[in-house]
Amino acid sequence: MRLFSLVRAAPAAAAALALAAASSGAQSAATPSVDIPVIPVERLTLANGLTVLLSPDHSAPVVAVSVWYHVGSKNEKPGRTGFAHLFEHVMFMGSQHVPTGSFDQILEAAGGNNNGSTTNDRTNYYETLPSNALATALWLESDRMGWLLPTLDQAKLDAQREVVKNERRQRVDNQPFGSQFEVIAAALYPATNPYSWPVIGSMADLSAASVDDVKDFFRKYYAPNNATMVITGDIDVDRTRAMVASYFAEIPRGPAIDRPVVAPASLDKDKRLVLTDAKSRLPQISFVWSTVGEDHEDRFPLAALGEVMAQDRTSRLTKLLVYDRQLATNVGVFQGADENAGQFIITIRPRPGIALSDIERLTDSVVAGLVAAPPTAAEVERYKNSYVVSTVTALQSVLEKGEVLASGQAFHGDPAFYATELKKSIAVSPGDVQRVASLYLSKGHVVLSMVPAGHLEMISRPDLPYSDVTPTPATAGK
């Protein structure tokens, strides 16, 4: 995860410029010297287990409140998928002292905005509003943390269940090749692995969810001892600490959580898959290798490897396919890290009339080149420059700062883990990049050809055995 808005902007910007200047005049991959920004954070833990991080930033009269619950689709069971995401929606349906429909209205009346999101590993909720309305956000968050269940009934569950189903239809079922990441996950992991099913869940599981099921999920995971709350912005720390205690201290601690730890998967041979879709007129292709997650240091050189291949027009795969050969319109490469596992993904959209087999052959050549020899020092330095500059420029809001502090605390027990990430990212060497390319990209991987329905002749390497993973009317959304 990239870093957040900077308190010491001038030193950090100077460091970024110094890094850029150093790499432009030298080919060494020596670790640059970066003045890592220091973010003031006070951490406190209430008696009920709620972890609270307070970070003052008086640059604007704005405050952000971010609450992370350490629960995502990884905590679900087969047959009961989609609960974490469904509950994200239920949390906006009102609580004992906040009538249905009032949550957004109250915040908007105070000049604020809010949202939430769910991943495999966590669910977050956040508000950004004028600093003089901080108490409003704390009251709303405390009421749904402590007093949601008394008003949760079948009507509320049914309403949000239909919203989630429509979201699935919009984002997955009715998008060209919208199920690609679901079939990739199913190919990488066994069916019992929590990373094998989608965050949004299946239609069947959503339909089967009962009010009691959902209430049990809340009691277990939406307790203060499974939450991290970050308050950033124009705050008085002592006054904010007192407000937090006033609103949250009486909420009872929940049960101890047996948190799953998922071992990274590995394929012993390639899996060639075909996904057809009547909604698409053009093909595309993805290559996916199992890698590592947030909890493994190899994610840093893997991230650099992705940027060496596709960061900009001079990067190897983008340069070859988009600019030199003009065979593709878009090349995307990234290391996607969940908490305990990850995937290295290459996705390419060819120009009309270009064969996927040719795209695969050239992609294989670029991968083989990085497995056989390290990238140049300049290629790795360009990645480092981009990382540092984006750290300085991209995350200027108090909300982004809070999200990164929450991520460090939730996943690593350290709100300042951003500093470790920055150090490890700029310490990556060309040899590190080659090592992870050789270690992970030499293993079996998924090759997913995505073609318009009725055009199997367009798949890559049709001479090789493949599995058709196109959802049927009976299996779509299951």
Side-chain angles (χ1 to χ4, degrees), residues 244-296:
V244 167
S246 174
Y247 285 114
F248 289 90
E250 64 180 291
I251 301 174
R253 173 187 288 268
I257 295 174
D258 183 16
R259 201 176 307 284
V261 177
V262 184
S266 181
L267 298 180
D268 56 5
K269 61 181 180 180
D270 293 347
K271 286 188 177 182
R272 304 189 70 86
L273 310 177
V274 172
L275 179 64
T276 67
D277 196 328
K279 296 182 291 296
S280 177
R281 296 294 176 264
L282 296 173
Q284 65 186 57
I285 189 168
S286 290
F287 310 90
V288 188
W289 292 261
S290 292
T291 58
V292 297
E294 280 271 342
D295 56 359
H296 200 291

Side-chain angles (χ1 to χ4, degrees), residues 120-454:
N120 289 306
D121 304 296
R122 62 99 183 115
T123 308
N124 75 326
Y125 305 89
Y126 55 86
E127 299 85 31
T128 304
L129 66 170
S131 53
N132 61 5
L134 172 59
T136 299
L138 296 181
W139 169 63
L140 290 169
E141 287 291 357
S142 66
D143 204 61
R144 62 181 177 180
M145 180 186 289
W147 292 274
L148 184 89
L149 293 188
T151 64
L152 179 57
D153 56 19
Q154 190 69 48
K156 286 185 176 182
L157 175 60
D158 289 344
Q160 291 309 306
R161 187 190 346 244
E162 291 308 310
V163 170
V164 173
K165 285 184 176 182
N166 284 332
E167 184 178 336
R168 180 185 171 85
R169 295 184 187 105
Q170 180 183 21
R171 296 185 178 183
V172 178
D173 300 335
N174 292 320
Q175 288 292 322
F177 307 126
S179 62
Q180 61 175 297
F181 293 109
E182 294 186 5
V183 302
I184 287 171
L188 291 177
Y189 302 106
T192 55
N193 189 300
Y195 288 142
S196 70
W197 54 77
V199 173
I200 202 167
S202 74
M203 290 290 197
D205 290 355
L206 290 170
S207 296
S210 70
V211 172
D212 287 341
D213 288 335
V214 175
K215 286 185 175 182
D216 288 343
F217 190 86
F218 178 87
R219 292 187 185 100
K220 183 173 183 179
Y221 294 110
Y222 274 74
N225 50 298
N226 195 42
T228 297
M229 182 170 65
V230 185
I231 305 172
T232 53
D234 187 26
I235 62 172
D236 177 276
V237 171
D238 291 338
R239 183 169 177 270
T240 303
R241 191 189 308 113
M243 282 196 291
V244 167
S246 174
Y247 285 114
F248 289 90
E250 64 180 291
I251 301 174
R253 173 187 288 268
I257 295 174
D258 183 16
R259 201 176 307 284
V261 177
V262 184
S266 181
L267 298 180
D268 56 5
K269 61 181 180 180
D270 293 347
K271 286 188 177 182
R272 304 189 70 86
L273 310 177
V274 172
L275 179 64
T276 67
D277 196 328
K279 296 182 291 296
S280 177
R281 296 294 176 264
L282 296 173
Q284 65 186 57
I285 189 168
S286 290
F287 310 90
V288 188
W289 292 261
S290 292
T291 58
V292 297
E294 280 271 342
D295 56 359
H296 200 291
E297 293 194 358
D298 278 355
R299 68 182 174 95
F300 300 105
L302 282 164
L305 174 62
E307 298 292 82
V308 165
M309 296 177 75
Q311 176 175 317
D312 54 34
R313 63 183 299 160
T314 65
S315 301
R316 294 193 181 192
L317 194 58
T318 298
K319 183 177 185 295
L320 176 64
L321 294 180
V322 178
Y323 294 97
D324 291 351
R325 301 290 186 92
Q326 298 190 18
L327 301 178
T329 61
N330 181 265
V331 174
V333 185
F334 66 97
Q335 156 67 12
D338 294 315
E339 187 172 10
N340 306 128
Q343 309 85 37
F344 190 86
I345 302 176
I346 302 173
T347 298
I348 301 167
R349 294 191 183 100
R351 290 180 180 271
I354 301 301
L356 293 185
S357 296
D358 292 338
I359 297 293
E360 181 174 0
R361 176 177 55 82
L362 292 169
T363 300
D364 285 347
S365 71
V366 171
V367 171
L370 287 163
V371 168
T376 66
E379 288 177 296
V380 177
E381 289 300 292
R382 190 162 62 247
Y383 157 72
K384 295 178 183 180
N385 291 346
S386 175
Y387 189 89
V388 174
V389 171
S390 65
T391 296
V392 176
T393 60
L395 301 175
Q396 294 297 312
S397 74
V398 291
L399 176 59
E400 292 287 356
K401 183 193 302 183
E403 290 294 284
V404 173
L405 293 174
S407 176
Q409 177 62 41
F411 293 146
H412 304 282
D414 179 10
F417 194 74
Y418 69 92
T420 299
E421 289 187 313
L422 183 53
K423 291 176 183 177
K424 291 182 181 296
S425 294
I426 63 176
V428 170
S429 70
D432 294 329
V433 175
Q434 183 195 8
R435 178 182 60 79
V436 295
S438 177
L439 179 60
Y440 298 102
L441 273 58
S442 294
K443 297 179 180 179
H445 67 295
V446 172
V447 180
L448 175 62
S449 293
M450 294 167 273
V451 299

